[in-house]
Amino acid sequence: MQITFLGTSSGVPTRSRNVSSVALRLPQRAELWLFDCGEGTQHQIIRSELKISQLSRIFITHMHGDHIFGLMGLLATCGLAGNVERIDIYGPPGLNDYIQAASRYSYTHFSYPIKVHAIRPGIIYEDDDFTVSCGNLHHRITAFGYRVAEKDRSGRFDIEKAKALQIPPGRVYGQLKRGETVTLADGRVIDGTQLCGPTEIGRKIAYCTDTIYCDGAVELAHDADVLIHEATFAHQDADMAFQRLHSTTTMAAQTALAAGAHRLIMSHFSPRYAPGNTLELKDLLQEARAIFPRTDMAYDFMIHEVPRRREVELTKVGV
């Protein structure tokens, strides 16, 4: 699971930061999932190592322009040069009307299937490997946060132990790898869990923007390996944050702390904290780390590999 930040500015783009979009690359499936699609997102994808042809799902948090103005351009490009097979789009009520109206007035015809899903809190997508759920955030308009949860997997199968027990190879190995209990032809009952290592805990990613501090974000980020959370304002500008229902750095950090998240990556920064101003982004990072030390600050084209829990544990013990 690889996260690429395609846009990390709030409201308007700057010279170094585009508006909101985050890509989740799933190499084992050759799939690309996108979260929000601000203006210019397709240009950011082209500049990155991501492949538009792998785009299969787009998740929109809310209908403000800096999160959706790049959607129609990207969808049109996918039809003209993207070679995508199908795209499923998830978002709040009104998203389908927006896409239909934009395609009608621009005479855009999609040469591939598009399905728009109007979401409500709960599980919105599930397959053999992942569950995606959404929950309400607290913003000026209807806004949702997302949680991507990889399903737990049985531990590594000890094939040498299976051979030592004289278990004949074949379909039974697959059953044992899944941790199932099987009865062999000779009458022996074998518990697959005894031949597998510790369960591999599935990775979890939460994406919460735009919102002020709220219980919904804490719930989505529970035990998340990575929480991506907006931090539009510095702590000293909390009054503006409350007026506009955006988060400060300290609110993002408090969300990560309350949720028991393993890492916080802040994004969606106001251009007011550009270099040379009284407060700069490095000051915002210090504010958040004072509350939640495992905090990073996203920048455009930043890539974050989400490690498995087992890999993290081995790193800690120096293996």
Side-chain angles (χ1 to χ4, degrees):
M1 298 175 72
Q2 184 186 79
I3 300 169
T4 301
F5 291 85
L6 297 171
T8 56
S9 179
S10 71
V12 298
T14 68
R15 287 188 175 184
S16 60
R17 295 177 184 270
N18 200 48
V19 284
S20 292
S21 188
V22 173
L24 176 61
R25 183 170 167 260
L26 306 172
Q28 71 274 27
R29 298 156 60 114
E31 282 191 45
L32 180 68
W33 295 359
L34 200 63
F35 293 82
D36 283 332
C37 191
E39 178 185 356
T41 292
Q42 66 169 316
H43 295 275
Q44 299 292 86
I45 294 176
I46 292 169
R47 295 186 185 107
S48 74
E49 296 181 357
L50 303 173
K51 297 179 180 179
I52 288 181
S53 61
Q54 294 183 345
L55 182 61
S56 60
R57 302 187 190 279
I58 301 174
F59 302 88
I60 301 296
T61 56
H62 64 295
M63 296 297 293
H64 275 155
D66 58 325
H67 294 256
I68 63 168
F69 280 165
L71 186 56
M72 280 303 300
L74 175 61
L75 294 176
T77 294
C78 286
L80 293 171
N83 297 319
V84 300
E85 295 182 3
R86 169 193 169 103
I87 295 181
D88 285 87
I89 307 172
Y90 306 79
L95 179 59
N96 187 55
D97 291 342
Y98 171 76
I99 293 173
Q100 293 297 326
S103 61
R104 181 169 66 253
Y105 289 116
S106 63
Y107 298 94
T108 300
H109 172 70
F110 301 117
S111 58
Y112 58 94
I114 291 177
K115 173 68 174 177
V116 181
H117 307 261
I119 61 174
R120 58 183 180 181
I123 295 175
I124 59 173
Y125 173 74
E126 184 172 11
D127 59 30
D128 292 340
D129 301 312
F130 294 96
T131 298
V132 182
S133 55
C134 72
N136 289 314
L137 300 179
H138 188 185
H139 194 42
R140 289 172 290 166
I141 63 173
T142 299
F144 294 97
Y146 292 97
R147 176 185 177 90
V148 180
E150 183 183 37
K151 294 182 179 179
D152 296 346
R153 301 193 307 187
S154 298
R156 294 179 180 177
F157 182 64
D158 190 338
I159 191 169
E160 295 303 322
K161 189 174 181 180
K163 289 179 179 179
L165 291 172
Q166 296 183 339
I167 300 173
R171 186 170 62 90
V172 67
Y173 271 28
Q175 294 174 289
L176 293 171
K177 285 179 182 179
R178 294 192 293 271
E180 299 175 10
T181 298
V182 299
T183 302
L184 302 179
D186 59 13
R188 287 183 295 159
V189 177
I190 305 295
D191 181 358
T193 59
Q194 301 302 311
L195 297 175
C196 296
T199 299
E200 293 187 357
I201 304 300
R203 293 162 288 186
K204 306 170 185 68
I205 298 171
Y207 177 72
C208 298
T209 183
D210 293 5
T211 185
I212 200 165
Y213 180 91
C214 66
D215 292 338
V218 174
E219 183 177 347
L220 287 168
H222 174 68
D223 193 38
D225 294 87
V226 179
L227 164 61
I228 302 167
H229 198 288
E230 72 130 298
T232 307
F233 294 106
H235 179 67
Q236 75 171 33
D237 294 324
D239 286 344
M240 281 191 289
F242 281 109
Q243 291 169 13
R244 303 176 187 183
L245 296 182
H246 277 293
S247 287
T248 62
T249 55
T250 50
M251 291 178 192
Q254 287 165 348
T255 300
L257 185 64
H262 296 253
R263 180 164 300 279
L264 167 65
I265 303 181
M266 299 189 299
S267 187
H268 199 270
F269 308 112
S270 169
R272 71 180 59 243
Y273 306 112
N277 290 354
T278 305
L279 273 182
E280 298 184 11
L281 290 179
K282 66 178 186 292
D283 302 310
L284 274 64
L285 181 60
Q286 292 175 358
E287 289 181 349
R289 284 182 171 174
I291 297 172
F292 192 81
R294 296 184 303 279
T295 299
D296 293 314
M297 179 166 280
Y299 53 87
D300 284 22
F301 303 111
M302 170 181 167
I303 297 174
H304 179 80
E305 298 277 355
V306 186
R308 293 191 179 279
R309 300 282 175 96
R310 181 178 177 275
E311 294 169 354
V312 173
E313 290 168 0
L314 291 176
T315 301
K316 286 180 179 178
V317 298
V319 177

